[in-house]
Amino acid sequence: MSKVLSEFREFAVKGNVVDLAIGVIIGAAFGQIVSSIVTDLFMPVVGAAFGGLDFSNYFVGLSSSVTATSLAAAREQGAVFAYGHFLTVVINFLIIAWILFLVVKGINRLRRNAAKEPPLPAPPTKEEVLLAEIRDILAKKA
């Protein structure tokens, strides 16, 4: 049992696992930011452009007992088909995908630029330095 625990500890503290965990946490926080941008900033503007529509309250009740006019109240009454919320989630996804595309595009551009730069010349070896000194001494004597 202790061997399994030590193997798990070795796996869990590897750099890749820790990096992945940090990426997931940052991604979750970034998702909340994008969700707020879409819900609080973007969707009200889109709704105003389409005559004051509020996509978050677009739903269809799936039973006759659903008579509410807001999504939250309708969900309390029964099953609903919340297509307005789905549209908001799709817009969230598209914004996140666009931002990640721009990030990956920037990283790829940096990698291409780094690959184009010629590598720095290697410093001369000890033998080359000695041979250059011998050459210079012989040139002075001549």
Side-chain angles (χ1 to χ4, degrees):
M1 184 67 173
S2 66
K3 182 178 179 184
V4 172
L5 289 176
S6 69
E7 285 181 34
F8 177 75
R9 187 178 338 116
E10 181 182 333
F11 167 77
V13 297
K14 282 186 179 178
N16 293 340
V17 174
V18 174
D19 291 345
L20 178 63
I22 291 170
V24 168
I25 292 168
I26 290 173
F30 181 72
Q32 289 178 345
I33 291 170
V34 171
S35 179
S36 175
I37 288 171
V38 170
T39 304
D40 301 330
L41 303 176
F42 186 71
M43 291 308 284
V45 172
V46 171
F50 288 104
L53 302 176
D54 181 11
F55 291 112
S56 63
N57 278 319
Y58 281 13
F59 66 92
V60 174
L62 298 179
S63 70
S64 60
S65 64
V66 177
T67 59
T69 57
S70 71
L71 179 59
R75 284 185 172 162
E76 291 177 6
Q77 292 178 345
V80 294
F81 183 72
Y83 65 91
H85 180 71
F86 175 74
L87 288 174
T88 303
V89 171
V90 168
I91 291 172
N92 276 348
F93 170 76
L94 292 174
I95 290 173
I96 290 172
W98 178 254
I99 291 171
L100 290 177
F101 167 74
L102 293 177
V103 167
V104 169
K105 183 177 177 180
I107 289 171
N108 288 340
R109 185 181 319 125
L110 290 175
R111 285 183 181 166
R112 280 192 304 268
N113 290 343
K116 287 180 183 177
E117 294 176 5
L120 297 174
T125 64
K126 290 181 182 180
E127 291 174 347
E128 292 172 334
V129 171
L130 280 173
L131 288 171
E133 289 175 0
I134 293 170
R135 179 200 62 212
D136 294 342
I137 292 170
L138 291 173
K140 286 181 184 177
K141 287 185 178 181

